Amino acid sequence: MDTSPAPEPPLHADLAQDIEQLRTQFPRTQDLYREVCVLLFFRHGITPTANRLYQLVKKGSMSAPAEALARFWATLRDKSRVRIEHPDLPAELQSATGELAAALWMRAADMAQEQLATAQHEAQLSVADAQTRQRQAEAERDRLRQELTGSAAALDGAQIRITEGEQALAIAVAAASTFQEQVRLAQQGEHHLQQALETARRDFAFELDKLRADGTLAQERLKAAETRALLEIERERQVAARLQKELDAATRKAEQGSTRHRDEVQKLQGQVGNLRQQVGVLEGKLDALRTANTRYIDEAAQARDQRDQLAVSLTHAAAKQKVSTAKRAAKPTAGPRKSK
């Protein structure tokens, strides 16, 4: 259960001025606390408490306002025992009014005693806490004295370490400058290599596109030549078929008159042989065109393989350039450590 006092009501603006006037009029601590109790209770309508009195006056120990508050409530309780007499009031009402006033004074006195006990408890806690903090402060003081005893030697050692650190820092700054210059040169080399790589890629792409265009054109030409050869072969076959028919007819006629038409038959056979020879030549040309088409296809495949190999070579070259750049950047860092 929480035993802390309830929050104090807000003060009037002119209360501080009234208390300052009472300080000059009542220099004694108990008298001053008593008058502040009267001021709070009768003029401002505020129930005085030990905490509030000490906060306003801030004079003496914590027990001084508690004692003054107890005497204040005792005085009021004694004064409340006076009978209230009035000619117009009945005797029972006068008695009841007196008893009510006495009950109020008794309640106020009980509250004052409770607040006095609370204030005493808080004062004891404050004293114990202050003693604990005092012991902690003394222990901290002893520790600081011990640390201060060895601080001179530590300061000399620190000064030596600072001097050595400044020297090492100067060496590190010089090494860092060299390293930055090497990094800058490496970055420039990498930039030039990247530009060369981009140029090589563009040239290779251009050559590859050119090879593709040439291959496409060759294929188109091959198809056209093959078409023409097929047409010529078909035409020669038709002619050969027609001549064969004529030969067959001549043969039939030769059967009827072989002696008379023998020369014509030989002539026709010679023409048929020539036509067959031309057909063979045309078929050889067709085979040559087919072989050329196969060669063009192989060359296009080789060009694609060369493109893939060149791309792999460019990738390996870029990776080797990055590795050499990292090695050059790592060498200056290892140098100053060895010199140290």
Side-chain angles (χ1 to χ4, degrees):
M1 182 177 180
D2 189 6
T3 57
S4 60
E8 303 290 351
L11 301 178
H12 294 282
D14 56 348
L15 181 58
Q17 184 178 0
D18 295 338
I19 292 175
E20 291 299 327
Q21 293 178 0
L22 292 175
R23 287 180 187 275
T24 59
Q25 297 176 6
F26 301 94
R28 294 183 67 253
T29 302
Q30 289 297 321
D31 295 340
L32 179 59
Y33 276 117
R34 184 190 65 243
E35 294 300 325
V36 171
C37 290
V38 174
L39 178 67
L40 290 174
F41 189 78
F42 291 102
R43 181 175 299 180
H44 295 279
I46 300 173
T47 302
T49 62
N51 288 333
R52 182 174 294 279
L53 290 175
Y54 188 77
Q55 291 176 0
L56 294 175
V57 179
K58 294 181 180 179
K59 187 176 181 181
S61 62
M62 285 293 296
S63 61
E67 295 176 359
L69 184 62
R71 284 196 294 270
F72 172 73
W73 290 123
T75 302
L76 289 180
R77 186 170 57 251
D78 292 338
K79 292 182 178 180
S80 65
R81 293 175 180 174
V82 178
R83 288 181 57 83
I84 300 174
E85 296 181 355
H86 195 277
D88 296 334
L89 291 176
E92 295 179 356
L93 183 57
Q94 291 178 1
S95 176
T97 303
E99 292 177 358
L100 177 61
L104 290 176
W105 291 122
M106 290 294 293
R107 178 58 180 165
D110 294 338
M111 290 176 61
Q113 292 295 332
E114 292 176 358
Q115 292 175 357
L116 176 60
T118 302
Q120 290 177 350
H121 180 67
E122 291 177 354
Q124 292 175 358
L125 293 178
S126 298
V127 169
D129 184 59
Q131 291 176 352
T132 302
R133 287 198 299 269
Q134 181 181 2
R135 288 192 297 269
Q136 293 176 353
E138 290 176 353
E140 182 68 17
R141 179 197 60 193
D142 295 339
R143 186 182 62 81
L144 291 176
R145 284 178 178 176
Q146 293 177 358
E147 292 180 356
L148 185 60
T149 303
S151 62
L155 181 61
D156 295 337
Q159 187 65 36
I160 295 173
R161 288 194 296 272
I162 289 172
T163 303
E164 294 176 353
E166 290 177 350
Q167 295 176 356
L169 179 61
I171 296 173
V173 169
S177 300
T178 305
F179 172 72
Q180 289 177 356
E181 182 64 21
Q182 292 178 355
V183 170
R184 185 182 64 81
L185 294 176
Q187 289 176 351
Q188 290 179 357
E190 183 179 0
H191 179 68
H192 293 324
L193 180 61
Q194 189 69 26
Q195 290 180 349
L197 180 62
E198 293 295 333
T199 303
R201 285 178 179 174
R202 288 195 297 269
D203 295 340
F204 176 75
F206 176 75
E207 293 295 333
L208 181 61
D209 293 339
K210 186 177 179 181
L211 288 175
R212 287 176 178 173
D214 293 340
T216 303
L217 182 60
Q219 288 180 357
E220 292 177 355
R221 289 177 180 177
L222 178 62
K223 288 181 180 179
E226 185 178 0
T227 302
R228 288 194 302 269
L230 290 174
L231 291 175
E232 290 179 1
I233 290 171
E234 184 64 26
R235 187 167 55 252
E236 294 297 333
R237 284 178 180 176
Q238 291 177 0
V239 173
R242 182 174 56 80
L243 291 176
Q244 186 68 37
K245 289 179 181 180
E246 291 178 358
L247 179 61
D248 292 339
T251 302
R252 285 192 300 272
K253 289 180 181 181
E255 290 177 355
Q256 296 175 0
S258 59
T259 303
R260 188 181 56 187
H261 298 291
R262 183 175 296 171
D263 295 335
E264 293 180 358
V265 169
Q266 292 178 354
K267 183 179 179 180
L268 290 174
Q269 287 178 349
Q271 291 178 355
V272 169
N274 293 331
L275 289 175
R276 288 179 177 175
Q277 184 178 0
Q278 291 178 359
V279 169
V281 171
L282 291 175
E283 288 178 351
K285 291 181 179 180
L286 180 60
D287 293 335
L289 289 175
R290 288 175 178 174
T291 303
N293 185 23
T294 304
R295 186 175 66 254
Y296 283 131
I297 292 173
D298 294 337
E299 290 177 355
Q302 292 177 0
R304 286 193 294 272
D305 294 338
Q306 291 176 358
R307 179 199 60 187
D308 296 335
Q309 292 177 0
L310 182 56
V312 173
S313 299
L314 293 176
T315 303
H316 289 171
K320 289 181 179 180
Q321 180 64 24
K322 291 182 179 179
V323 171
S324 61
T325 302
K327 290 181 178 179
R328 288 196 300 268
K331 288 180 179 179
T333 305
R337 293 180 180 176
K338 293 180 179 179
S339 62
K340 182 176 179 181

